C-alpha cells in the first residue's frame, strides 16, 4: 500500500509540472520514476524473502533498495526485522530507529524493535515499544507474546502470564508464547503447569531444544530428576555444545546423587562458558558432596570474582565457610548476600546459625525469627532456633520449636538430638532417650546424640536404681518375726519353695496360725477334698536336673525329683508333670500341710489390686503375669530395647554378650517314648561337642526329648508346611506333629511333606543315629521359638496399689518370672530352684525384709549374669540359613554339599578332637557316672557305629562354638555330666563367670 501510495503521489507531481519544465527536466524525472519502480521491486522481493525465512537474501535486496532510496520506511523496517532474526540486534535496532523516525506510529516497526530490545536485555525499553505497538494493534499475538516474555524477565510473572494467556487464546499453536508462559509458571512454582505448556509446545516441534531445556528444568525443580535428564539428553543431542543444557543436566544429576556424572557435565559446561557463575556455584555444590572443600571454595571464589553482586554465590560461599568453621567469614559473605536479597530465608538461617556458633544468641534468634516469618514451615530453621533456645536455657521454648520441626521432618537427626537433650535438662530422661535412640537409629555415629544419650542413660538408670533401693525403706519388719507368705503361679519352683519354707517353719517351731504359706495354683481342682491336676493340663515337658541343686533340698523333697532312687542317676531327666504332682501331694500331707494352704485362682486375677489384697507379708511369684502387672517395676524403662509390657530385656542387649547373637532361637522338640539308648557314656560327650542336637534321656528314663536346633528359615517353612500360624509360636511350644502324623516323616515312600522339606527327615534321622535311638521312639514333635529375656530387678514393694493393703508387702520374682527361656526348651527349672533356695536362705540369714530383698536381688543379678553368659555360648548364627529349604539339588544345597565333601576329613578330625576335649573334661569332673571312654572307643563309636553323613557332620562342626574352659572353677565343674545336661560349665573364651551358689554365706553376710 505504501509503495502504491508513494508512486501515485510522485506520478501526479510529475504530471502537474510537465508544462513547466524543459526537455532536460523531463528526462531526469523519467529516470527518477524508473528508480522508484526499481526500489519498489527490490523492497517487494526482499519482503518475500524475509517472510520465506531467507533473511540474508532479504537483507541483500533491502540494502540495494536503500542505496537507491535511504528513506524507504518499508525497506528499513523489514531489513531491521531480518537482522533481528539473524541475532544482529544492534543493526536491527538501528534500522528500526530510522524507520520510526520517518513513521513513529508504525506498529510493525515498534513490535520488531521491542522484540530486539528484549533480546539485548533492555526489557523496560522492550515493554515501552510493545505497549505502543499494542495501542495500535491491541490483539496482536506476537506483540503480546514478546511483552509477556519481557515482563517475565523483569520478574513480573503474573503480568507475563496475563499477556501470554491472551496470546495463546488468539493463537493456541504459538509455541513461543507457550514456552514463555511455562517459564513464568516455573518462576511462581507451578511446575506442573509449566510442564503442561511445554508438552504442548513440543507436540508442535519435538526438536525444539529451547523448549526441551525449559521442560527439563521444570522437571528438575519438580524433583523428577529422571525425566529432567531425559529431556536434557534430547536437547543436547540437538545442541551438543549448549552450556545451559549441560549445567542443568549436571545439576539434575547432582540432586539425583550421580555426583560423578554431575561433575562431568558441569566441567563441560564451564569449558564452553568459563565465566558462568551459576555453573561454578553448581559445581561447587557437587565438589562438596565429594568432600572436596578446597575445590568447592575455589569455584565459589571464582563465581564471586566474576559477579561480585551474585547473591547466590555469596550465600553458598558463606554457607561453606560456616561448615568449615570460619563463622566470621561466613557472616561477612551472608551480610553481602542479604544486602542484595534482604528477604532470602536461606541466607538469614545460615547467618543465624553462624552467629550461634559465635555465641551471639540474640543475633542468631533475630535472624532465625526473620527466616521463619518468611518460611514458617522450614524444619531446619525451626531446629536451629530450637537449638539456640536450648543453649540459652529456654528448654521449654526449644522443645516447642523442635516439636514443630519434627512434625514436618520426623527423621531430622539435629532436631531429635537437640530435643532429647532439652528433655534431659528438664529431667524427662525417658522422653530424652526415646528421641536420642531414634536419632542414633538414623545416624548411628552422631557424636552429639551419643554424648547426650550417655548422659541421659546415666541419670535415668541411676535414678531408677536409687528409687528401687529407696522403696525398701518401709520394709523394716524383722525376718525373725513369723511372716505370712503367698506364692503365686506355683509350678515346681513355687511348690518346692513352699515345702522348704514349711520345713523351716516347723524346725523353728513357729505358730502355724501366724506363720503360713498360701499357695495359688491355676492348674488344679478339688476332688473329694484333695487337690489334683485339672484334666487337659498335663505338661509334656522334660527337665534335666543338676546334682548341686538337688543336693540343696532335704531328702524328703529330693524324692519328688528322683523318685526315691538310690543311688540316683547323676543329672537325670524327669517329666515336669510328674514332679509337680509329687510336690502337690507332699504339700497336702503332714508335716507340710500344717503351714501350707492351697488355693486355686484364675490367671486373670493377677492384677495389682488382687495382689495387694492378699493377707501376707511376702509374695513370691513364679508367674510372668505378675511381672507384667507392674510396668516399670522390674526393668528400667530407659534401658535400650526394653519390652515395657513384658518387663524384660532381650539377651542380645544384655551386658557382656556378643553382638552376633541371634535374636531368637528355633528348635524342634521330639518327645521320646522311652530312653532306649544304650550308649549313654557317649551321649553327654556328643551333646557338648556340637550345637545342633541335644538329648534329654538316659537308660533310667521312661521318656525323654531330643532337641534339634534349626534355622529361622527352616522353622517358618516348617510352620507353613504344617499349616501352623507363625504368630502363635512366640515363646511357647507349638504342636507340629502328633503321633498320628509322624508317618509323614518316617515313611520310606516320600510323602508330600518330605518332598517339600527334604532336609527334615534327614536331620531327624541323623540326630537319632547320633544318640543310638530309633525313629519308632517318636511320640510327637513340637516347634519352639525362644527369645531369652531378663529382668533387671527382682523385687517390688507393694505400697500404694490398693487402699485395702494393711501395710507394704514385698513382691519377689523367682523361676520363670525372673529368668525366662533357656536356649534348649525346658531348661529353666535348675535356675528356678536356685532362686527358691536363695529366698529361704534370705529368710534365715538376713535381719530385715529390706536387707533380705537387697541381698536376694544381688544374688539373682549374679545368677542372671551367669545365665546370660551360659546361654550366649550356643546362640551364634547357624551359617546355612535357608540353603537346605528346597531340593537338595538346588545351587545353595549343592554348594553346601560340595563344601562338606571337600572338608570331610578336616571335619572328621575337628569333631573327633572336640569330642576328646569334652571327654577329658567330663571324665575329670566329679560325679562322672559312666565307665571311661578311650580314644579308640570314641573313634569306633563315631565313625563305625554312627558314621554321620558328610553334610550333617559339616553342619555339626559349623555349629560347635565352645570348648571346655580351664577358667571354670571346681565348684562349677562339679556338675551333672550325663545325657542332656544343662551345660552349666559351657563357656566361651570371653566368659569366666562362676555359677552363684545360693547356699554360700558370702551372698547373705553383711
Amino acid at each position: 500500500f505504501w509503495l502504491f501510495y508513494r508512486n501515485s503521489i510522485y506520478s501526479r507531481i510529475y504530471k502537474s509540472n510537465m508544462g513547466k519544465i524543459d526537455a532536460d527536466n523531463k528526462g531526469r524525472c523519467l529516470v527518477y520514476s524508473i528508480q522508484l519502480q526499481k526500489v519498489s521491486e527490490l523492497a517487494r522481493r526482499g519482503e518475500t524473502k524475509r517472510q520465506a525465512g531467507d533473511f540474508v537474501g532479504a537483507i541483500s535486496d533491502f540494502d540495494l533498495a536503500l542505496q537507491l532510496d535511504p528513506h524507504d520506511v518499508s525497506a528499513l523496517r523489514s531489513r531491521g526485522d531480518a537482522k533481528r532474526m539473524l541475532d544482529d540486534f544492534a543493526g536491527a535496532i538501528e534500522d528500526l530507529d530510522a524507520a520510526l523516525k520517518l513513521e513513529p506510529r508504525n506498529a510493525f516497526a515498534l513490535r520488531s524493535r521491542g522484540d530486539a530490545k528484549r533480546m539485548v536485555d533492555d526489557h523496560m525499553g522492550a515493554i515501552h515499544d510493545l505497549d505502543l505497538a499494542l495501542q495500535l494493534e491491541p490483539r496482536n499475538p506476537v506483540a503480546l507474546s514478546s511483552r509477556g516474555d519481557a515482563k517475565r524477565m523483569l520478574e513480573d510473572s503474573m503480568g507475563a502470564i496475563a499477556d501470554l494467556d491472551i496470546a495463546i487464546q488468539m493463537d493456541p499453536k504459538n509455541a513461543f508464547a507457550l514456552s514463555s508462559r511455562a517459564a513464568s509458571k516455573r518462576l511462581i512454582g507451578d511446575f506442573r503447569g509449566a510442564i503442561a505448556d511445554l508438552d504442548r509446545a513440543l507436540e508442535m516441534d519435538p526438536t525444539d531444544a529451547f523448549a526441551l531445556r525449559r521442560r527439563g528444568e521444570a522437571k528438575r525443580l519438580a524433583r523428577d530428576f529422571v525425566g529432567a535428564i531425559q529431556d536434557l539428553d534430547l536437547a543436547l543431542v540437538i545442541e551438543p555444545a549448549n552450556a545451559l543444557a549441560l549445567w542443568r543436566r549436571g545439576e539434575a544429576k547432582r540432586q539425583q546423587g550421580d555426583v560423578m556424572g554431575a561433575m562431568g557435565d558441569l566441567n563441560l559446561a564451564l569449558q564452553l562458558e568459563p565465566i558462568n557463575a551459576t555453573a561454578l556455584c553448581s559445581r561447587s555444590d557437587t565438589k562438596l558432596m565429594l568432600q572436596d572443600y578446597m575445590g568447592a571454595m575455589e569455584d565459589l571464589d571464582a563465581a564471586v570474582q566474576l559477579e561480585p553482586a551474585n547473591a547466590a554465590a555469596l550465600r553458598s560461599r558463606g554457607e561453606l565457610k560456616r561448615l568449615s568453621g570460619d563463622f566470621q567469614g561466613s557472616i561477612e559473605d551472608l551480610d553481602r548476600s542479604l544486602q542484595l536479597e534482604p528477604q532470602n530465608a536461606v541466607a538469614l538461617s545460615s547467618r543465624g546459625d553462624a552467629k550461634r556458633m559465635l555465641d551471639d544468641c540474640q543475633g542468631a534468634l533475630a535472624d532465625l525469627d526473620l527466616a521463619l516469618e518468611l518460611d514458617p514451615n522450614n524444619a531446619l530453621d525451626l531446629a536451629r532456633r530450637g537449638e539456640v533456645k536450648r543453649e540459652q536455657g529456654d528448654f521449654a521454648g526449644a522443645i516447642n520449636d523442635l516439636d514443630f520441626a519434627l512434625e514436618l521432618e520426623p527423621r531430622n537427626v539435629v532436631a531429635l538430638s537437640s530435643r532429647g537433650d532439652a528433655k534431659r535438662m528438664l529431667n524427662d530422661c525417658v522422653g530424652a532417650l526415646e528421641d536420642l535412640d531414634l536419632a542414633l537409629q538414623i545416624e548411628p555415629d552422631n557424636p552429639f546424640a551419643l554424648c547426650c544419650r550417655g548422659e541421659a542413660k546415666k541419670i535415668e538408670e541411676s535414678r531408677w536404681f536409687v528409687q528401687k533401693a529407696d522403696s525398701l525403706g518401709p520394709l523394716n519388719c524383722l525376718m525373725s518375726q513369723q511372716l505370712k507368705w503367698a506364692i503365686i503361679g506355683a509350678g515346681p519352683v513355687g511348690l518346692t519353695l513352699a515345702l522348704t519354707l514349711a520345713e523351716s517353719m516347723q524346725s523353728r517351731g513357729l505358730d502355724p496360725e501366724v506363720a503360713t504359706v498360701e499357695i495359688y495354683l491355676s492348674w488344679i481342682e478339688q476332688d473329694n477334698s484333695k487337690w489334683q491336676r485339672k484334666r487337659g493340663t498335663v505338661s509334656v515337658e522334660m527337665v534335666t536336673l543338676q546334682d548341686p541343686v538337688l543336693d540343696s533340698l532335704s531328702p524328703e523333697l529330693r524324692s519328688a525329683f528322683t523318685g526315691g532312687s538310690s543311688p540316683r542317676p547323676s543329672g537325670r531327666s524327669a517329666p515336669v508333670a510328674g514332679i509337680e504332682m509329687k510336690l502337690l501331694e507332699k504339700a497336702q500331707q503332714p508335716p507340710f500341710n500344717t503351714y501350707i494352704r492351697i488355693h486355686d485362682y484364675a490367671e486373670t486375677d493377677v492384677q495389682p489390686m488382687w495382689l495387694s489384697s492378699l493377707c501376707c507379708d511376702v509374695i513370691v511369684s513364679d508367674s510372668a503375669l505378675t511381672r507384667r502387672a507392674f510396668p516399670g517395676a522390674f526393668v528400667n524403662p530407659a534401658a535400650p530395647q526394653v519390652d515395657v509390657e513384658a518387663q524384660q530385656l532381650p539377651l542380645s542387649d544384655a551386658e557382656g554378650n556378643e553382638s552376633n547373637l541371634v535374636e531368637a532361637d528355633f528348635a524342634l522338640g521330639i518327645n521320646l517314648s522311652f530312653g532306649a539308648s544304650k550308649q549313654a557314656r557317649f551321649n553327654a560327650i556328643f551333646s557338648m561337642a556340637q550345637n545342633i542336637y541335644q538329648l534329654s534321656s538316659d537308660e533310667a528314663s521312661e521318656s525323654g526329648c531330643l532337641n534339634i536346633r534349626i534355622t529361622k528359615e527352616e522353622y517358618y517353612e516348617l510352620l507353613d508346611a504344617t499349616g501352623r500360624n507363625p504368630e502363635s509360636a512366640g515363646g511357647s511350644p507349638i504342636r507340629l506333629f502328633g503321633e498320628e502324623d509322624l508317618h509323614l516323616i518316617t515313611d520310606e515312600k516320600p510323602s508330600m511333606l518330605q518332598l517339600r522339606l527334604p532336609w527334615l527327615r534327614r536331620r531327624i534321622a541323623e540326630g537319632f543315629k547320633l544318640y543310638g535311638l530309633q525313629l519308632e521312639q517318636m511320640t510327637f514333635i513340637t516347634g519352639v521359638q525362644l527369645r531369652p529375656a531378663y529382668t533387671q530387678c527382682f523385687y517390688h514393694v507393694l505400697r500404694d496399689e490398693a487402699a485395702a493393703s494393711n501395710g507394704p508387702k514385698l513382691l519377689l520374682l523367682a523361676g520363670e518370672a525372673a529368668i525366662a527361656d533357656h536356649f534348649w526348651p525346658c531348661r529353666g527349672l535348675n535356675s528356678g530352684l536356685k532362686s527358691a533356695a536363695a529366698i529361704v536362705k534370705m529368710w534365715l540369714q538376713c535381719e530385715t525384709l529390706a536387707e533380705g530383698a537387697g541381698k536376694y536381688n544381688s544374688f539373682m543379678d549374679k545368677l542372671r549374669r551367669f545365665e546370660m553368659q551360659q546361654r550366649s555360648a550356643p546362640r551364634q548364627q547357624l551359617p546355612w540359613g535357608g540353603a537346605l529349604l528346597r531340593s537338595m539339588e538346588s545351587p545353595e544345597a549343592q554348594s553346601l554339599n560340595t563344601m562338606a565333601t571337600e572338608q570331610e576329613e578336616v571335619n572328621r578330625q575337628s569333631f573327633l578332637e572336640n569330642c576328646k576335649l569334652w571327654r577329658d573334661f567330663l571324665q575329670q569332673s566329679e560325679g562322672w557316672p559312666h565307665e571311661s571312654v578311650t580314644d579308640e572307643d570314641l573313634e569306633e563309636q563315631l565313625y563305625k557305629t554312627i558314621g554321620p553323613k558328610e553334610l550333617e557332620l559339616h553342619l555339626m562342626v559349623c555349629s560347635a562354638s565352645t570348648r571346655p574352659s580351664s577358667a571354670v572353677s571346681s565348684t562349677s565343674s562339679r556338675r551333672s555330666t550325663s545325657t542332656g545336661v544343662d551345660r552349666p560349665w559351657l563357656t566361651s573364651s570371653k566368659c569366666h563367670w562362676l555359677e552363684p551358689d545360693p547356699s554360700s554365706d558370702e551372698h547373705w553376710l553383711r
Side-chain angles (χ1 to χ4, degrees), residues 141 145 164-179 181 197 200-205 208:
S145 301
L164 294 163
D165 282 345
I166 298 171
I168 293 168
Q169 285 174 7
M170 297 175 64
D171 182 6
K173 293 187 177 182
N174 188 330
F176 172 77
L178 285 165
S179 179
R181 187 173 70 174
D197 280 347
R200 289 174 60 186
L202 285 164
E203 283 176 5
M204 291 178 273
D205 184 5
D208 184 349

Side-chain angles (χ1 to χ4, degrees), residues 672-858:
L672 305 173
S673 58
F674 55 89
S677 173
K678 301 302 180 183
Q679 57 176 55
R681 63 178 181 144
F682 297 107
N683 289 346
I685 298 169
F686 294 157
S687 287
M688 293 309 215
Q690 46 79 44
N691 196 27
I692 296 179
Y693 302 105
Q694 187 184 52
L695 179 66
S696 296
S697 177
D698 60 22
E699 293 100 323
S701 298
E702 296 179 358
S703 62
C705 183
L706 174 63
N707 294 309
I708 304 177
R709 190 180 179 200
I710 58 178
T711 68
K712 177 180 179 179
E713 294 83 356
E714 292 167 344
Y715 177 77
Y716 280 100
E717 184 71 12
L718 186 53
L719 287 184
D720 186 56
T722 54
R724 302 302 191 267
N725 181 5
E727 297 300 322
S728 67
S732 299
I734 179 171
R735 181 71 71 95
L736 298 176
F737 300 97
E739 193 167 2
E740 67 281 2
D741 304 316
L742 292 176
H743 68 91
L744 297 173
I745 299 172
T746 58
D747 284 350
E748 290 299 328
K749 183 179 180 181
S751 62
M752 289 299 296
L753 180 74
Q754 292 185 37
L755 292 174
R756 180 172 179 178
L757 305 173
W759 56 272
L760 179 60
R761 187 182 192 279
R762 179 168 172 161
R763 191 82 53 83
I764 292 173
E766 286 297 299
F768 272 59
K769 187 169 64 172
L770 181 67
Y771 293 110
L773 301 170
Q774 302 298 319
L775 290 178
E776 292 75 15
Q777 292 178 244
M778 287 192 294
T779 57
F780 60 85
I781 301 176
T782 58
V784 183
Q785 175 183 347
L786 293 172
R787 298 176 182 271
Y790 306 87
T791 60
Q792 289 178 293
C793 186
F794 300 88
Y795 67 82
H796 180 54
V797 179
L798 279 63
R799 203 167 18 178
D800 303 320
E801 281 78 1
S805 175
N806 297 320
K809 296 179 174 63
L810 177 62
L811 171 61
L812 299 175
L813 298 183
E816 288 290 315
I819 303 177
D821 290 344
H822 274 253
F823 162 66
W824 292 111
C826 318
R827 293 289 181 258
L829 181 55
N830 292 292
S831 295
L833 293 175
K834 290 174 192 173
S835 64
I839 290 173
V840 176
K841 191 74 172 180
M842 171 199 78
W843 180 41
L844 298 175
Q845 295 287 332
C846 298
E847 292 188 4
T848 66
L849 269 180
E851 180 192 354
K855 297 287 187 182
Y856 175 73
N857 195 71
S858 177

Side-chain angles (χ1 to χ4, degrees), residues 16 38 77 245 249 270 331 349 387 393 426 446 538 670 802 863:
S16 67
K38 183 66 174 177
R77 175 199 73 171
R249 189 174 69 177
L270 286 163
I331 291 170
S349 174
E387 179 68 5
L426 291 175
N446 186 288
V538 178
I670 302 177
L863 183 61

